[in-house]
Amino acid sequence: MDHVDIIEDVIKVEKLVDLVTSPSYGAITTFIGTTRDNFDGKNVTRLEYEAYIPMARKKMLEICGMVREKWKVGNIAIVHRIGVVPVKEASIIIAISSAHRRESLESVHFAIDTLKATVPIWKKEIYEDGSNSWKENTEWKHSKING
Amino acid sequence: MDHVDIIEDVIKVEKLVDLVTSPSYGAITTFIGTTRDNFDGKNVTRLEYEAYIPMARKKMLEICGMVREKWKVGNIAIVHRIGVVPVKEASIIIAISSAHRRESLESVHFAIDTLKATVPIWKKEIYEDGSNSWKENTEWKHSKING
Amino acid sequence: MELNTFANVRVLFFAKSRELVGEKETVINYPSRISTRRILNELLERYNSLSVISENLILSLNEEYLDINDDLIINLKTGDELAVIPPISGG
Amino acid sequence: MELNTFANVRVLFFAKSRELVGEKETVINYPSRISTRRILNELLERYNSLSVISENLILSLNEEYLDINDDLIINLKTGDELAVIPPISGG
């Protein structure tokens, strides 16, 4: 199963883990990206995310396909939250199950790296002093040339 | 924070994620090992785990120390369940937070590999036909000589 | 004989480009055959505010990235969806 | 003059070794200076049932693994805790 979603609500890790759990797969790896309270010494109040939703879903499904080309995995769930994401809350959760652990561990690492390089989602950091900044993933610079 | 535990109850991933979440750390990786319903074509009904509890805790804390020597991470939680673990339920959950994602991803991989090689916990597979088998981690064979 | 045809294309703006342009989307009439570089240049002429991030924009057409560096000629038809993509920062 | 002293040591059995021996723990009186190989050999003599896994056992002393292959001489004192460790399979 490939489950991708972009939601405006809190993402529950337990829900994604339940989604990918199966009697056939003994390993589940999850990656959770949460809002930090600081960047370069500035206090971050919250993040605001926006997405090119249909294209982002498409790119997330492409990541599922790439994962399945590289590893024998069971179920994949990738959910990104948009809108305001307060400090400590999750903006992204990826959960992948596999029969043995190596596949789920390596493929989750690959999936988050690839998501940061290819999925059209944007993050604005809002600082305590009222200023803000649109962020840029370093992975994007490297992948831009290859479209 | 290094949190290690060996419990006879269901392990809740949400609880471990909450434990390691912090405003300073934007990345959390978890690994969950669950009971599969089959092994080498045999149907597995359940697993039974037992541990040399004080030594297992000690070895789990040593893994936390090794992780901190190798990576800059935030909080570490490692919980192993013992007793009967039915199909689909978790026997082990590891959760590690870090400021950036690479550290949590790599250190969780290292922690589960090392746990399988060094922590005195044993698993018996109980099959549908009533037979059973004590398992042996392949990692153990490699690490045995070095004690 | 080559007809000089045109297409009405939906153009979407995201993130910083949306803030700079001041709108989420518009419709622009483009030649049916056009280079990606020319699309971008015309957008920069139309929306001067975009110039501050002009070096960092790429485009997508119907939810696929277009390689600006290749400066390829593409075919547009009415109903196509272009998007202005500033550096992404999801995850 | 070397005293031939002895120590009462708690010995724990786990997993398959516990099942084969039929008990979780016992107390054994060992010489205070003894090789790890001799400890294991004496256990195998005392509990014949362990022979089926004799090639795969290691020992721990006070919650640290002992390297059987090194066959080192260790010092035991009363109150020490030895454990018979079959191949582990946690995770």
Side-chain angles (χ1 to χ4, degrees), chain B residues 50 52 118 123-124 134 145, chain D residues 15 18-19 65 67 81 89:
Chain B
E50 75 178 70
Y52 182 5
T118 66
K123 167 167 75 178
K124 184 157 90 167
W134 286 100
I145 296 164
Chain D
R18 175 183 50 72
E19 288 185 343
Y65 291 116
D67 195 333
E81 185 172 286
S89 43

Side-chain angles (χ1 to χ4, degrees), chain B residues 59 61-71 110 114 118:
Chain B
K59 291 288 160 191
L61 283 172
E62 281 178 20
I63 293 172
C64 297
M66 291 159 85
V67 161
R68 291 184 187 283
E69 269 179 31
K70 287 170 187 283
W71 292 278
F110 169 84
T114 308
T118 66

Side-chain angles (χ1 to χ4, degrees), chain A residues 50-103:
Chain A
E50 75 179 70
Y52 182 5
I53 293 177
M55 182 169 170
R57 282 179 187 275
K58 190 175 169 184
K59 290 288 161 193
M60 286 157 83
L61 283 172
E62 281 177 19
I63 293 172
C64 297
M66 290 159 84
V67 161
R68 289 183 187 285
E69 270 178 31
K70 287 171 188 282
W71 293 277
K72 198 168 168 355
V73 300
N75 297 312
I76 306 175
I78 308 177
V79 178
H80 205 298
R81 180 173 173 185
I82 55 173
V84 172
V85 181
V87 167
K88 279 182 74 177
E89 294 190 15
S91 53
I92 174 77
I93 304 188
I94 299 175
I96 301 180
S97 59
S98 57
H100 304 287
R101 71 184 184 285
R102 189 182 60 83
E103 288 78 1

Side-chain angles (χ1 to χ4, degrees), chain D residues 1 6 12-13 15-17 21 30-31 33 35 37 43-44 47 53 60 63 67 69 77 81 86 89-90:
Chain D
M1 189 188 79
F6 288 84
L12 310 180
F13 302 97
K16 190 156 190 175
S17 74
V21 164
Y30 284 114
R33 284 177 58 77
S35 77
R37 175 50 58 187
L43 281 168
L44 292 170
Y47 300 103
I53 55 169
S60 69
E63 303 172 8
D67 195 333
N69 297 301
K77 57 184 192 305
E81 185 172 286
S89 43

Side-chain angles (χ1 to χ4, degrees), chain A residues 103-143:
Chain A
E103 288 78 1
S104 77
L105 285 158
E106 290 183 3
S107 62
V108 163
H109 199 154
F110 169 85
I112 180 63
D113 285 354
T114 309
L115 182 141
K116 285 185 168 261
T118 66
V119 177
I121 297 178
W122 297 269
K123 167 167 75 179
K124 185 158 88 167
E125 273 179 356
I126 319 289
Y127 306 107
E128 210 174 34
D129 63 7
S131 64
N132 66 67
S133 166
W134 286 100
K135 310 297 292 181
E136 176 172 352
N137 290 341
T138 48
E139 298 79 7
W140 172 247
K141 289 176 190 157
H142 305 140
S143 70

Side-chain angles (χ1 to χ4, degrees), chain C residues 1 30 55 57:
Chain C
M1 186 187 78
Y30 284 114
E55 294 302 310
L57 293 180

Side-chain angles (χ1 to χ4, degrees), chain C residues 5-77:
Chain C
T5 56
F6 289 83
N8 284 321
V9 174
R10 212 172 144 213
V11 181
L12 311 180
F13 301 97
F14 290 100
K16 188 155 193 176
S17 74
R18 175 183 50 72
E19 288 185 344
L20 291 168
V21 164
E23 57 188 7
K24 276 187 171 180
E25 61 175 279
T26 188
V27 172
I28 300 179
N29 189 260
Y30 284 114
S32 303
R33 284 178 59 78
I34 185 169
S35 77
T36 51
R37 175 51 59 187
R38 192 170 145 212
I39 294 174
L40 197 59
N41 286 342
E42 293 203 350
L43 282 168
L44 292 169
E45 274 168 40
R46 187 185 290 244
Y47 302 102
N48 294 320
S49 56
L50 283 179
S51 62
V52 295
I53 54 169
S54 64
E55 294 302 310
N56 284 309
L57 293 180
I58 71 168
L59 297 172
S60 69
L61 174 62
N62 298 330
E63 303 171 9
E64 284 302 328
Y65 292 116
L66 293 175
D67 194 334
I68 298 295
N69 297 303
D70 271 0
D71 193 25
L72 69 171
I73 305 291
I74 58 169
N75 294 302
L76 293 176
K77 57 184 190 307

